[in-house]
Amino acid sequence: MPTRRVKYALWLVGIIAALLIVWYLWLSKGTPPGQPALTSLTQNNIDQFKHDFNGGGDEARLVLLLSPT
């Protein structure tokens, strides 16, 4: 049976881990200096995305598609 001190330490580790996960997933959305900001593709901005993507033919390009399913 864990002692009170061990239970406290486990709770503390759990809370710190949860805070780090929240920070990583929701609060650290910045990009490095000189890089355009991250964006979500929508029907309203797809034409601008195509223009920007096709205009960068002299550089390496990468599109990352993520799906929650």
Side-chain angles (χ1 to χ4, degrees), residues 1-35:
M1 185 95 163
T3 64
R4 178 178 283 197
R5 177 173 260 170
V6 173
K7 285 182 182 179
Y8 176 75
L10 290 174
W11 271 103
L12 186 61
V13 168
I15 290 170
I16 291 172
L19 290 173
L20 286 173
I21 290 169
V22 166
W23 175 81
Y24 180 77
L25 294 176
W26 286 284
L27 302 177
S28 65
K29 298 293 184 189
T31 57
Q35 178 180 326

Side-chain angles (χ1 to χ4, degrees), residues 7-69:
K7 285 182 182 179
Y8 176 75
L10 290 174
W11 271 103
L12 186 61
V13 168
I15 290 170
I16 291 172
L19 290 173
L20 286 173
I21 290 169
V22 166
W23 175 81
Y24 180 77
L25 294 176
W26 286 284
L27 302 177
S28 65
K29 298 293 184 189
T31 57
Q35 178 180 326
L38 299 176
T39 186
S40 296
L41 293 178
T42 65
Q43 292 294 327
N44 297 332
N45 66 3
I46 193 71
D47 290 329
Q48 180 64 39
F49 170 77
K50 287 179 185 178
H51 178 265
D52 293 343
F53 186 83
N54 292 332
D58 58 336
E59 300 175 350
R61 299 169 288 177
L62 175 69
V63 175
L64 178 64
L65 299 175
L66 302 175
S67 175
T69 58

